[in-house]
């Protein structure tokens, strides 16, 4: 069996809407086998055991691109650790796994960049699939059919803390609340902070991340779907957090801490424990290695 291990991702870092994401050490693992005929699934919930399955659909895109005539396929969900529809890249893990699994079955004909281009075409934006494939933190842009990117590693002394609520938020619902047009001043607000965010990581001036990681393109709209959003963000800032932002399309709130402050989370923990909704706090690290093709 071919096994593919895909990391979770946190996208939309600060003001980097649709262009800035990071890979995290939390993984889904998928298995792929070519059969003499048919389509089989193992380990998936019943509702995903059909041709609409995102992993299967990604495989078909890859086979089409490589002109590979597959006879039959078995897809196994071996391990699912990335929570679904929480803004941590679970659906992009399915796309990336499907493309890489199919590419291996087809004889590894596509390059990493070709897989990335296909993944971005399927997902529509690069900020989850790019770090899932490349590892580290990735700035990515799409120009016509091609994705251009720069990847850099995250220092060990930077730690991530994900605050994950027990309710789901589908990316499509979360995109539906976004405005069609934004004001010029809001565009300037975001582009200046997105550039500033990347410069904080490039220079190691993490203390400036609190000013960098602010957003006017999606958080004001999506935060209305997440009870206590800004109260939780403020709690993080008041308890040693370098920054906090909506992870991907939400509802997870991602925060960053210096390693020396990571054990000081009891106040944040107590705070979320007392909220009406159930929130889990998970400590994570960046995954700087690129995915195995
Ligand atoms: N940039 C994407 C969004 C990430 O915010 O909709 C979620 O897939």
């Amino acid at each position: 069996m071919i096994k593919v291990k895909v990391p979770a991702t946190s996208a939309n870092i600060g003001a980097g809407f649709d262009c800035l994401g990071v890979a995290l050490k939390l993984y889904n693992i998928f298995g792929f086998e070519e059969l003499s005929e048919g389509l089989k699934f193992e380990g998936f919930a019943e509702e995903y055991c059909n041709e609409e399955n995102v992993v299967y659909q990604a495989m078909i895109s890859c086979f089409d691109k490589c002109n590979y005539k597959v006879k039959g396929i078995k897809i196994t969900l071996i391990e699912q650790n990335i929570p679904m529809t929480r803004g941590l890249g679970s659906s992009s893990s399915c796309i990336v796994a499907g493309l890489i699994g199919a590419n291996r079955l087809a004889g590894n004909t596509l390059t990493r960049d070709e897989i990335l281009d296909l993944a971005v075409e399927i997902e529509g934006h690069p900020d989850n699939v790019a770090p899932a494939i490349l590892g580290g933190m990735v700035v990515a842009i799409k120009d016509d059919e091609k994705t251009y990117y720069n990847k850099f590693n995250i220092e060990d002394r930077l730690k991530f803390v994900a605050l994950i609520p027990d309710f789901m938020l589908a990316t499509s619902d979360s995109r539906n609340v976004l405005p069609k047009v934004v004001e010029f001043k809001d565009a300037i607000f975001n582009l200046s902070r997105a550039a500033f965010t990347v410069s904080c990581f490039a220079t190691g001036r993490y203390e400036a991340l609190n000013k960098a990681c602010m957003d006017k393109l999606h958080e004001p709209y999506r935060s209305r779907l997440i009870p206590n959003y800004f109260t939780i963000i403020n709690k993080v800032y008041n308890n040693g957090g370098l920054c906090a932002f909506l992870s991907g399309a939400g509802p997870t709130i991602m925060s960053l801490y210096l390693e020396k402050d990571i054990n000081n989370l009891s106040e944040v923990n107590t705070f979320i424990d007392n909220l009406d909704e159930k929130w889990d706090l998970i400590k994570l690290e960046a995954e700087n290695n690129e995915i195995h093709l």
Side-chain angles (χ1 to χ4, degrees), residues 219-279:
E219 279 189 359
Y221 311 97
R222 289 171 163 173
S223 58
R224 295 174 195 150
L225 307 174
I226 303 165
N228 301 303
Y229 182 76
F230 286 110
T231 343
I232 297 171
I233 295 258
N234 286 336
K235 201 73 196 167
V236 170
Y237 278 114
N238 291 332
N239 285 276
L242 292 166
C243 65
F245 53 89
L246 189 63
S247 181
T252 291
I253 295 174
M254 186 59 71
S255 56
L256 269 78
Y257 287 78
L258 288 175
E259 188 170 24
K260 66 180 178 60
D261 298 323
I262 194 71
N263 293 320
N264 266 347
L265 293 169
S266 54
E267 261 203 49
V268 176
N269 246 326
T270 310
F271 181 76
I272 57 171
D273 277 352
N274 286 321
L275 295 173
D276 287 342
E277 295 73 29
K278 184 179 170 333
W279 289 75

Side-chain angles (χ1 to χ4, degrees), residues 11-12 17-18 123 125 127-128 171 175 218 222 248-249:
N12 295 336
F17 183 74
D18 269 4
E123 176 100 310
H125 40 81
D127 49 338
N128 286 112
T171 299
R175 280 191 98 89
H218 74 123
R222 289 171 163 173

Side-chain angles (χ1 to χ4, degrees), residues 6-11 22-24 26-28 30 54 80-97 123 125 127-133 169 171 247-252 254:
V6 191
T9 49
S10 183
V22 65
L24 299 164
L26 179 72
Y27 309 91
N28 283 349
F30 300 83
V54 178
Q80 182 180 12
N81 299 305
I82 308 172
M84 287 172 71
T85 42
R86 296 298 204 289
L88 288 167
S90 62
S91 69
S92 73
S93 84
C94 294
I95 295 169
V96 169
E123 176 100 310
H125 40 81
D127 49 338
N128 286 112
V129 291
I133 293 170
L169 187 52
T171 299
S247 181
T252 291
M254 186 59 71

